[in-house]
Structures are given as C-alpha cells and as structure tokens.
Amino acid sequence: MLVYPRHTWLPACAQKMSRLLLGVTLERICKAILLLCLVHFLIMMILYFDVYAQHLDFFSRFNTKNSSRSHPYYNFSRPNGTAPSYAAPAGGAGEPLPPSAKPDANQSVPEKPLPQCPEVPPALVGRLLIEFSSPMSMERVQRDNPDVKEGGKYIPLDCRAKQRVAIIIPFRHRDHHLKYWLHYLHPILRRQRVSYGIYIINQHGEDTFNRAKLLNIGFMEALKEEPYDCFIFSDVDLVPMDDRNLYHCYDQPRHFAIAMDKFGFRLPYSGYFGGVSGLSKAQFLKINGFPNEYWGWGGEDDDIYNRITLNGMKVSRPDIRIGRYRMIKHERDKHNEANPQRFTKIQNTKMTMKKDGINSLQYQVIHVAKYPLYTNITVDIGKPPARPARG
C-alpha cells in the first residue's frame, strides 16, 4: 500500500475547494444579474404601457372634442351646452336616423348638469411673472381671451361656479393701466374658474376723485345686470403675482392685496384694507356700503375697515406669500390730492356709517358702453362740498 506524504494531498484539496467556492460565487452573481435584468425589463414595460395609455387618452379626448363640435345637434347658443348623444340606428353608423329616433324640434333635450367647480382649480400655476415694460394693446388682450363675452363677462364651460362675481374698478384717465390689468386678470380669473363680469366705473369731469363713491355705484349698477352675490373692488394699477389668490368671497370680508411691492411686500399696518378687497352682497349691505364723503386720496379704506369691525365681522386675508401684488408705477393723479379731513372722518365712522353709504348714494349715469373685455359706466357723482376756510 502506497502512502503519500501528507504535504502532497492537502494543497490539491484546498485548490479543489477554492474552485468550488468560486463556482458558487459566480453562479450567485449570474443569478443576481439575471434578476436585475428581469426587474429592469418589467419596469421598462410598465413605463411603456403607461406612456402608451396616456397617448391613447390624449387622442381619444382630442377626437371626442372634435366630434362633439361637429355633431349636428351641438348647441352653440348656450355657453354650457353639451352635445347630446344619440344611439346609432340599427342599419349602421352611416345610415340616417329614422323619424322616430330624430329629436323633435319642439322637444327640449335634457342636458347633463355640470359639476360644481372645484375648491382648488386644477389649472392654477402659482407664482407669476408680472412686468409692465412690454407694449400692450386692447387688440392683443382681446385676441388672447376669445372666451370672454361682450361686456367682459365669462362663465366656466366645464363646471358650475359657486358664486357670481362682479369686479368693480374706480376709474379716470387710466387707459394705459387698464390694458395691463385686463391682460393679466382675464387669464387668471379664467384659470380660477370664476364666473365674473368686469365693470369700469368712470368718473365724469375733472372734479375731485371719489374712489369709495364710485365703488358704491359699481355695486348698484352691476346688480342691475346680473344677480351677483360677490363683489371684488380693485384699483386698476394692482395686479396679483399669484393666481392662488382666489377672487371670490369668503365667510368674512376679504382683503386680497396684503403684500404690495411698494410696501416691500408687507402689510403696512394691521387695519389696512386698501387696494383690492372683496365682500359678499350680504356683507356689503350689512356695513351700508362704503362712505360717499371721502373726496380726494386716502381714508376711505380705513373707514371701510372700521365699518367691518364695528359690525362684528373680521377681515380675512390670504397667506402673505400668496397675497403679493405688483403696482404700475405712476404719479399722483390730478384732482386726487390727499384729503386733509380724512383723519377726522376716520375717527367718526361709528357715528356716520348708518347715514353715509349705500342708503345715501346719489349719482347720474351718463353713458354705458359694452366693450369686448369690460363694461364701461361713465357717471356724474356731483361735486365735493366746499371746505371751510382756514383762519
């Protein structure tokens, strides 16, 4: 019997074990790679079918839109009209409808009611770039907003708005500002799914300007046209920088323009209510509207704030990051000098608000013009009372 020395078979055994372990390791690595390839293939297939489904959905919506517009019974006379669907005749899609299946001309076809517009409209984009250096024309604004009807009115086509909003702008000699305001606000309001009408209340003549009285007139004149239940009062030189600042009325009176660029995007003081504000019809009537006796610049917004708090309401505001506004820079208007009596009047709001407001409003409408993007109402508001002589 041959006996090999111990040192001859031990290395051979070790080499055999090493090759075995290397083989097992390589096998595991190959399996792991194969598994990764399989996972990668599955992910690619999922993504492929997801994109394919999106394409199908897009083209199906596009074809449905086109087919609804070309439908012989599509109702173009109503902004919320939808195309009624009729079952195809038994003979095939290309055959005419039998007399019994055709809609009667005197029979109204029931339409599916529109859903209520969402609380957060899906088309909002958030922060906006607002600039006033590019040339602007009414023709361009009109071309960019074909869905806006005569008089500056708009109703959402795909949903039912909760409120009907009248936007009131006190105005005189600000045509340049108005172009930019309309250029930015019409698209913002449409993205917000607001049912609205825009009213420019133009003060006739060159007497001292009276902002609050013009706003009262806008409230009265807008209600003569539509049963509005919400009123937004806006200066023509203020444009919101975020479309999430929703232009509708809230449970409490709303102050929208809380962070203007001219104030360093801060609220100047806690009782500030100027620039852009909103009240429901009920809230407006509760405070007897706005004061009529603030002739010239300043004071009327503080008086309005006092009226709100004295009637047990609170001012609501958006987040300061959303309530930002850009102002069109300009010089102080002629015949809109600071009102020297404003501080005295503000202190007497409690005594004057019951007799000075919507119940004492007097004016005369001179002319009403319906333009494609807004309604212009020119009014004579009278003259300010003579100020007592100093001495």
Side-chain angles (χ1 to χ4, degrees):
M1 179 177 179
L2 296 174
V3 178
Y4 294 97
R6 186 175 181 181
H7 66 274
T8 60
W9 60 268
L10 280 176
C13 181
Q15 292 175 2
K16 186 175 180 182
M17 290 295 294
S18 177
R19 287 195 298 269
L20 182 61
L21 289 174
L22 180 62
V24 172
T25 302
L26 289 175
E27 182 181 4
R28 289 177 178 175
I29 292 173
C30 291
K31 288 181 178 180
I33 293 174
L34 182 62
L35 181 61
L36 287 175
C37 291
L38 181 61
V39 171
H40 177 74
F41 175 77
L42 291 175
I43 292 174
M44 292 299 295
M45 291 299 294
I46 291 172
L47 292 176
Y48 172 79
F49 283 113
D50 183 61
V51 173
Y52 182 71
Q54 291 179 11
H55 279 285
L56 283 179
D57 179 65
F58 171 79
F59 286 111
S60 65
R61 284 187 281 120
F62 180 78
N63 291 333
T64 303
K65 184 178 179 180
N66 288 342
S67 63
S68 65
R69 288 182 176 177
S70 60
H71 198 285
Y73 301 110
Y74 185 78
N75 186 355
F76 288 96
S77 62
R78 282 174 288 179
N80 292 335
T82 56
S85 59
Y86 300 102
E95 296 183 8
L97 290 171
S100 60
K102 290 182 179 179
D104 187 358
N106 298 323
Q107 180 181 0
S108 61
V109 180
E111 293 184 359
K112 185 178 180 181
L114 290 173
Q116 196 169 66
C117 294
E119 292 286 343
V120 181
L124 300 181
V125 299
R127 186 67 61 85
L128 305 171
L129 176 63
I130 306 297
E131 57 88 19
F132 308 113
S133 58
S134 302
M136 189 58 58
S137 67
M138 284 295 185
E139 291 75 19
R140 175 185 170 183
V141 182
Q142 185 177 351
R143 186 171 59 251
D144 294 342
N145 297 277
D147 295 334
V148 177
K149 307 303 180 185
E150 184 183 48
K153 296 181 180 180
Y154 175 79
I155 298 176
L157 301 178
D158 56 351
C159 62
R160 178 169 44 86
K162 290 183 179 180
Q163 301 175 356
R164 303 183 76 169
V165 180
I167 301 176
I168 313 296
I169 298 179
F171 189 86
R172 187 169 64 181
H173 306 322
R174 293 288 194 91
D175 299 274
H176 176 68
H177 295 172
L178 181 59
K179 296 173 187 177
Y180 288 102
W181 191 93
L182 294 169
H183 167 69
Y184 285 113
L185 265 295
H186 271 304
I188 289 174
L189 294 169
R190 288 191 287 112
R191 288 199 300 272
Q192 292 183 355
R193 298 294 193 270
V194 180
S195 175
Y196 66 89
I198 293 176
Y199 296 87
I200 307 300
I201 312 302
N202 180 41
Q203 179 172 332
H204 176 71
E206 298 299 329
D207 285 311
T208 305
F209 195 70
N210 191 325
R211 177 179 181 269
K213 190 170 185 178
L214 292 173
L215 297 178
N216 279 341
I217 295 170
F219 175 87
M220 297 294 292
E221 292 299 313
L223 284 175
K224 292 178 181 178
E225 291 197 348
E226 303 282 349
Y228 293 108
D229 46 21
C230 175
F231 297 83
I232 308 293
F233 306 97
S234 174
D235 290 343
V236 73
D237 56 2
L238 287 174
V239 175
M241 300 175 64
D242 197 310
D243 62 2
R244 292 172 295 178
N245 195 359
L246 301 178
Y247 273 37
H248 62 78
C249 288
Y250 296 77
D251 293 336
Q252 299 291 333
R254 187 75 164 182
H255 184 214
F256 296 94
I258 66 169
M260 301 182 199
D261 55 352
K262 76 169 186 175
F263 296 136
F265 296 111
R266 292 184 178 91
L267 189 68
Y269 53 93
S270 61
Y272 184 65
F273 198 69
V276 185
S277 58
L279 292 89
S280 69
K281 181 180 178 181
Q283 292 165 356
F284 187 87
L285 293 175
K286 186 174 182 179
I287 65 172
N288 192 25
F290 299 158
N292 297 314
E293 299 304 323
Y294 281 81
W295 297 87
W297 179 87
E300 80 286 345
D301 47 355
D302 295 317
D303 190 294
I304 297 167
Y305 181 87
N306 290 342
R307 290 174 180 237
I308 291 170
T309 56
L310 289 170
N311 280 278
M313 295 183 287
K314 296 181 179 179
V315 171
S316 65
R317 294 186 172 105
D319 187 284
I320 197 166
R321 294 167 295 182
I322 293 177
R324 294 161 67 97
Y325 277 74
R326 185 78 70 193
M327 173 179 279
I328 307 175
K329 292 186 170 75
H330 60 90
E331 298 295 328
R332 177 73 57 79
D333 296 328
K334 189 178 180 181
H335 304 299
N336 191 29
E337 293 79 12
N339 182 356
Q341 301 175 342
R342 62 187 185 277
F343 299 110
T344 302
K345 289 182 176 294
I346 292 169
Q347 295 173 0
N348 296 322
T349 303
K350 188 174 183 179
M351 294 183 293
T352 59
M353 65 179 182
K354 297 297 183 182
K355 58 184 179 181
D356 176 22
I358 203 72
N359 62 354
S360 63
L361 180 64
Q362 294 183 359
Y363 65 97
Q364 181 181 357
V365 175
I366 295 177
H367 181 66
V368 177
K370 299 283 187 180
Y371 294 105
L373 300 169
Y374 62 95
T375 297
N376 185 89
I377 303 176
T378 301
V379 294
D380 181 0
I381 65 172
K383 298 179 181 294
R387 292 175 181 173
R390 295 181 181 180

